[in-house]
Amino acid sequence: MWLVVVLVWLLVMAAGTYWYLFGKPSPFSMESVRPPGSLELDQKKRDTVLKQGFSLDKVPENLDAIVIGSGIGGLTAAAVLAKAGKKVLVLEQHDQAGGCCHTYIEKGFEFDVGLHYIGQMHENSLLRIAMDQITEGQMQFVKLEQHFDTITIGSGEERREYTIYSGKTEMEAHLKKQFPNDTKAIEEFFKFMKLSARKTHYLATLKLIPQWLALFLLKSGIAHLASSIFRHSGYSALELANSLTSNKDLHIIFSYFFYGVPPRDSSSVINALLLHHYKRGAYYPRGGGSEIPFHIIPVIQKSGGNVLVRAHVSRVLVDKDGAACGVAVRKGQEEVEVKAPVVISNCGIFNTLRKFLPPEIHTKPEVQDRLNMMKHGKGSFLVFSEKMLKMKDPGFGCKSCMTILAMVNYEWFEEWKDMTVRKRGDDYMEYKMRFANKLFDWACLHFPKLRDKLVFQDVATPLTNVHYLGAQRGAMYSSEHNLDRFHAEAIARNRCSTPVKNLYISGQDVFSCGIAGALHGGLLCASTVLDHIVYIDLLLLKMKLKRKKAKEMAKQSKKQK
């Protein structure tokens, strides 16, 4: 009798698991991807997509979800929900959609705000497949030269330069040529990179399975038996580097993608993933970073949703049961309420739980516990410079853009935080230009010809990022990516759902920073809202595409014979 009960229970569990993983229709399909069209260069036509201002008549009826913030994390979550048949409204406080993917034009020059280049956009990579799905194949990426980065250490006679190459085998081989005495250390680091890349989905799974189960697997040691990634994620980048070599220059290269956290306080796994991200090449979107929101927005609109800008969300509406049920949008001196059964915030955990929720909610212990898991990230300081390069023909020239990014403390600029943007006075202008000039002088030490070519310069401080991006304390990479955040147990607890029912988090605060990190935050959020792991759909689609590619290559081989 007991055997029958156990067998029936196992059968029910197996059937339930199968239904959860595969029983719901996939939001993705090969058929939804179209050949990319020509670039839209008419700015007025682009503005009708990227700069559609908020008004009540543009808000769709019977919304399924509202997304606060139109960064890549918010747009990804919205697009996946839209492809699943949901009607989604995305609200952006700036006058242009895109977050760090938006571009702006100043005095005839166009600048990318946050996207410099992106990795893992090679054919049939998981990230490329996801990008193709949320843009329906309209994004085109240009692969950068194999030598895509240079690291300069020291100055004067002590200056050393190291070049970073992309390539499945070339990245490692090229580093070995530059560090012939540390080939073993480089081999071990690249093994660790491969482990991190192949097993990161285990860490993501901690956010998708029930929290009690994730914590049970970790605390019981079962998870650690399955993979060492759970231990390594809480291992600092400096500890890893020290275990491999005493060469300080190589230490820097192993963790040179700086996001405001020194190697002693950053996760070895995250640092390894950032370098691995470019192993198969660095890519730039043809047409600039704003092409990404430009092509995601129509996907959201296709299911009856919309993306509206100049929509200042002042608070999340909470019903009598303490569940999120919409948002209030500030319109002049008034507030307009927009209702939906699901609210997704792409504005960071501090804005979401501290700024948007009423005091009686955000002071609750469970909300405070969630906030205490995170720390504020470093502020970002950017110098945008345009150079005019003259050609042999005196009638022609070409423009070149340079962005200098440095991490700074928000407190250095805090005294001007309550002043209106572009009206903060001469003291503020002189103060920020001292930073900008120092950074530009430093750049000219490495590229002396820059100084004579400079025709325009613009500067963004943490206060600029607060105003235009809604970035908490001007942190473009959102909350600090410190070591505590990437211990396996913290990863399991820091998920898309929040202590407030029907309120979810998307973007960089879900897993990691950058365009790719925020996009994955959107995929994780959509999986949570839909109660369906969309990564499985992406992996199945990847297998189909690989089979299709293999058949095409086989046909081509037969023709050549």
Side-chain angles (χ1 to χ4, degrees), residues 385-424:
S385 303
E386 277 284 356
K387 305 171 290 300
M388 184 66 76
L389 306 175
K390 293 183 178 179
M391 314 300 266
K392 289 184 179 178
D393 186 330
F396 291 90
C398 67
K399 298 175 182 177
S400 178
C401 175
M402 176 180 73
T403 303
I404 304 173
L405 168 64
M407 310 305 289
V408 296
N409 292 328
Y410 172 77
E411 290 79 8
W412 297 348
F413 302 86
E414 195 171 18
E415 64 180 276
W416 292 281
K417 68 180 175 66
D418 296 323
M419 297 182 181
T420 306
V421 68
R422 296 184 181 273
K423 294 181 181 179
R424 293 193 172 106

Side-chain angles (χ1 to χ4, degrees), residues 13 47 79 160 205 239-240 248 332 385 405-407 506 555:
M13 287 292 292
D47 287 350
R160 288 95 66 203
T205 301
E239 286 178 288
L240 175 66
K248 298 301 181 184
S385 303
L405 168 64
M407 310 305 289
S506 183
K555 283 183 181 179

Side-chain angles (χ1 to χ4, degrees), residues 497-556:
S497 55
T498 72
V500 179
K501 188 180 178 182
N502 300 336
L503 177 62
Y504 301 87
I505 302 284
S506 183
Q508 296 181 113
D509 277 355
V510 173
F511 192 76
S512 66
C513 62
I515 301 298
L519 190 151
H520 279 295
L523 292 174
L524 288 164
C525 184
S527 297
T528 305
V529 173
L530 294 170
D531 195 23
H532 174 67
I533 302 176
V534 302
Y535 281 98
I536 293 174
D537 300 322
L538 288 171
L539 289 168
L540 292 173
L541 187 57
K542 180 176 181 176
M543 290 165 63
K544 285 183 183 178
L545 288 167
K546 282 194 169 184
R547 286 197 297 268
K548 181 183 176 184
K549 181 71 174 178
K551 287 179 181 178
E552 288 173 354
M553 291 179 69
K555 283 183 181 179
Q556 192 175 1

